[in-house]
Amino acid sequence: MSTAQREEFDVVVVGGGPAGSTLGSLVAMQGHRVLLLEKETFPRYQIGESLLPSTVHGICHMLGITDKIAAEGFTLKRGGTFQWGSSPTPWNFAFAVSSKVSGPTSFAYQVERSRFDKILLDNAARKGVEVRQNHTVLDVVEDGDRVTGLRYADPDGTERQVSARYIVDASGNTSRIYKRVGGTRKYSDFFRSLALFGYFENGKRLPAPNSGNILSAAFESGWFWYIPLSDTLTSVGAVVRREDAAKIQGDPQTALLGLIDECPLIKEYLAGATRVTTGQYGQLRVRKDYSYHHTSFWRPGMVLIGDAACFVDPVFSSGVHLATYSALLAARSINSILAETVDERRAFNEFEARYRREYGVFYEFLMSFYDMHIDEKSYFWSAKKVTNSSHTELEAFVELVAGMSTTDFDLNDAESGAIRLKERSAEFAEAIDTLAGEAQQNVTPLFRLPVVRRAMQEGSQVQARAQLGERAGPNTPVFDGGLVASPDGMFWQDPEPA
């Protein structure tokens, strides 16, 4: 390989989705040289269309693209609507009910990811990231225990090599290089599911002001998502157990229509709709085994963010949140190391501990939420009962959050995990039964639950600090002896003395 084919950057990011674009921008904004390699050409299709407020008003505010996203005319999402639990009556939650995200920023968007992701990638280029699309990463380059670069192929197929202080894998669940960080990818038994999904025109909408909500409906074989992407376009997907794969084998159109027939609410909403059969939305797609975590998130010279590190069942729209949140954490670590204000191990340990904790918060939230649903005749839902399962999954959860603060999780073994999750699911059921029976659907009981507050807490703090900076108040460490974010959110620093 000639010298001309060798290049050197501070950071090379693999993948141009929300995680990669966010990290690349936040590092380039500090004046560092960043290369981003993306195997596809944007705009391109991607699933994961329902956002949370912390992404829109926190991360995107830091990136300076909040107004640009607003100008796209994406569907306004004020909360969610669920047919879930013992009551057949759908119930709503609104972001505005939580004091943490109330006010003018108490909304998110339902986005077409091809458009949303291109906004983030184009913004990265404007921030100084060198973006190269249609470039395929082949493998990492190592020097002893450290990753020092990448081998990749350009659009002509010519193999090239680049050196960097840090390689960031943001290439998603199909990453080719995530194993090079060490450790193993562990799949969830509890959320071991398949999703079959497509797009429909002219489906029914919820009554205002909830017409932009994501609708999640449980049925005997699993649950549906129903996401209004525009006044007429809707993303529709069915989640079933992996053991029920036969339900989606054969002709996917027949399979999806059969599952829709099993769910009266979704069947009603699609009664006057037609499936999109052309363009980026014309294909019926399947995604499997989409809940997992890697046992290591970093090694010297390399870090995993977004879906390359972990992903959990999407019923609470956590995918883009976890991707952009992990990018923010890793960007703080890289910025601090390059500024020589925090050493590598301490910076990346803070990143991993916080990202693993946030993943664990959503994991516990969703296990409790699933366990709460009552459908005695359903094979899908009976398999989601914590007390009916072995403790394998609970042991995996304890391992997942190992080293996290016991005040957050209070899990010492699988048995204590089972007791805690049963308590949480009972709290969910009681709160949802209360609000489902109230004409005004006051969801305050839901936001009183500790497991719900934890799921909203970190995102709302990122949102508050992005909006208010130092006016957001004291910044305290998440862990004993841990670091805190700088006032601008771009670096790690030691907490101020009490």
Side-chain angles (χ1 to χ4, degrees):
M1 183 177 296
S2 68
T3 304
Q5 290 177 307
R6 293 180 182 272
E7 296 179 283
E8 189 170 326
F9 287 82
D10 294 312
V11 177
V12 178
V13 181
V14 184
S21 295
T22 297
L23 181 137
S25 297
L26 295 175
V27 174
M29 287 162 66
Q30 300 306 313
H32 303 303
R33 298 166 300 156
V34 181
L35 171 66
L36 188 151
L37 300 173
E38 166 56 48
K39 68 179 180 180
E40 298 186 50
T41 300
F42 281 39
R44 56 85 177 97
Y45 171 82
Q46 186 58 270
I47 192 62
E49 299 136 330
S50 196
L51 304 186
L52 295 180
S54 61
T55 300
V56 177
H57 307 292
I59 304 295
C60 290
H61 181 82
M62 295 177 69
L63 296 174
I65 56 173
T66 305
D67 290 342
K68 189 168 185 62
I69 291 171
E72 282 292 307
F74 292 127
T75 298
L76 204 65
K77 172 187 174 182
R78 301 188 184 279
T81 299
F82 290 81
Q83 187 181 60
W84 201 290
S86 61
S87 172
T89 305
W91 50 272
N92 304 309
F93 81 86
F95 296 125
V97 172
S98 170
S99 61
K100 295 287 187 180
V101 292
S102 62
T105 60
S106 58
F107 67 89
Y109 296 108
Q110 316 284 16
V111 298
E112 293 186 65
R113 286 286 303 275
S114 57
R115 294 162 56 199
F116 176 77
D117 290 9
K118 190 173 188 304
I119 292 171
L120 268 66
L121 188 63
D122 289 348
N123 184 65
R126 285 194 298 272
K127 298 296 186 185
V129 177
E130 183 164 336
V131 175
R132 298 179 189 171
Q133 301 184 61
N134 201 20
H135 284 65
T136 302
V137 169
L138 303 174
D139 203 355
V140 303
V141 176
E142 299 176 314
D143 183 3
D145 293 335
R146 189 172 193 88
V147 173
T148 58
L150 283 176
R151 291 190 299 106
Y152 68 96
D154 67 17
D156 296 327
T158 302
E159 184 175 322
R160 300 181 182 277
Q161 186 169 310
V162 58
S163 298
R165 293 279 301 276
Y166 290 100
I167 302 300
V168 179
D169 185 5
S171 57
N173 67 305
T174 59
S175 165
R176 299 178 62 169
I177 61 169
Y178 76 92
K179 293 180 181 178
R180 304 290 264 151
V181 84
T184 57
R185 180 176 286 187
K186 293 195 172 182
Y187 290 91
S188 167
D189 290 327
F190 194 84
F191 295 114
R192 197 173 174 86
S193 303
L194 298 163
L196 172 63
F197 51 97
Y199 295 80
F200 291 79
E201 282 283 353
N202 300 314
K204 182 179 175 180
R205 292 290 178 261
L206 290 160
N210 301 314
S211 56
N213 282 9
I214 182 173
L215 171 61
S216 299
F219 69 112
E220 183 174 342
S221 294
W223 65 274
F224 268 97
W225 74 70
Y226 189 94
I227 303 173
L229 297 178
S230 72
D231 289 342
T232 61
L233 180 65
T234 308
S235 171
V236 181
V239 177
V240 300
R241 279 172 53 85
R242 185 175 176 85
E243 288 81 357
D244 286 335
K247 286 181 176 286
I248 62 174
Q249 290 176 347
D251 176 48
Q253 169 87 358
T254 302
L256 183 57
L257 293 178
L259 291 168
I260 290 169
D261 282 340
E262 288 187 37
C263 186
L265 183 61
I266 298 301
K267 185 176 182 180
E268 173 194 341
Y269 272 63
L270 291 175
T274 55
R275 190 175 75 79
V276 178
T277 56
T278 59
Q280 66 171 325
Y281 298 128
Q283 177 184 347
L284 290 175
R285 295 173 167 92
V286 174
R287 185 166 177 184
K288 61 182 180 179
D289 286 346
Y290 55 76
S291 293
Y292 56 84
H293 73 276
H294 205 70
T295 56
S296 297
F297 286 1
W298 76 280
R299 64 175 283 196
M302 182 178 179
V303 59
L304 308 181
I305 63 174
D307 293 0
C310 56
F311 185 78
V312 71
D313 186 281
V315 71
F316 198 63
S317 308
S318 58
V320 175
H321 162 68
L322 289 172
T324 55
Y325 175 70
S326 67
L328 171 62
L329 298 179
R332 285 176 186 165
S333 297
I334 292 171
N335 287 339
S336 301
I337 296 164
L338 295 180
E340 299 182 348
T341 58
V342 181
D343 71 79
E344 180 179 78
R345 180 164 297 279
R346 192 176 181 206
F348 278 121
N349 282 347
E350 186 74 28
F351 150 77
E352 176 159 352
R354 286 192 182 227
Y355 189 22
R356 199 172 289 279
R357 175 185 180 274
E358 186 74 350
Y359 178 81
V361 164
F362 276 92
Y363 200 98
E364 182 188 28
F365 172 91
L366 292 169
M367 285 184 74
S368 303
F369 196 58
Y370 266 75
D371 185 70
M372 172 271 296
H373 186 73
I374 299 171
D375 191 340
E376 298 298 337
K377 66 181 183 297
S378 165
Y379 181 57
F380 181 95
W381 293 105
S382 64
K384 301 303 181 191
K385 299 302 168 188
V386 173
T387 52
N388 293 343
S389 68
S390 71
H391 288 322
T392 303
E393 182 63 24
L394 293 165
E395 289 164 353
F397 175 67
V398 173
E399 178 183 334
L400 168 70
V401 299
M404 302 300 99
S405 170
T406 55
T407 58
D408 286 322
F409 292 102
D410 193 26
L411 296 173
N412 299 312
D413 53 40
E415 193 62 40
S416 68
I419 294 170
R420 178 188 171 106
L421 287 165
K422 291 306 294 181
E423 290 173 348
R424 295 290 181 255
S425 64
E427 290 173 350
F428 263 127
E430 182 179 354
I432 290 168
D433 284 346
T434 298
L435 67 92
E438 294 179 356
Q440 299 301 314
Q441 300 218 320
N442 172 21
V443 300
T444 301
L446 193 63
F447 280 90
R448 289 195 186 117
L449 304 184
V451 70
V452 176
R453 291 202 305 270
R454 276 197 302 276
M456 302 293 290
Q457 180 178 20
E458 188 63 18
S460 64
Q461 288 181 355
V462 169
Q463 181 176 330
R465 294 208 167 273
Q467 296 283 332
L468 301 174
E470 292 183 342
R471 291 179 294 133
N475 200 350
T476 57
V478 173
F479 310 103
D480 291 341
L483 299 164
V484 299
S486 59
D488 63 2
M490 297 291 187
F491 298 87
W492 295 123
Q493 62 184 36
D494 284 305
E496 294 291 332

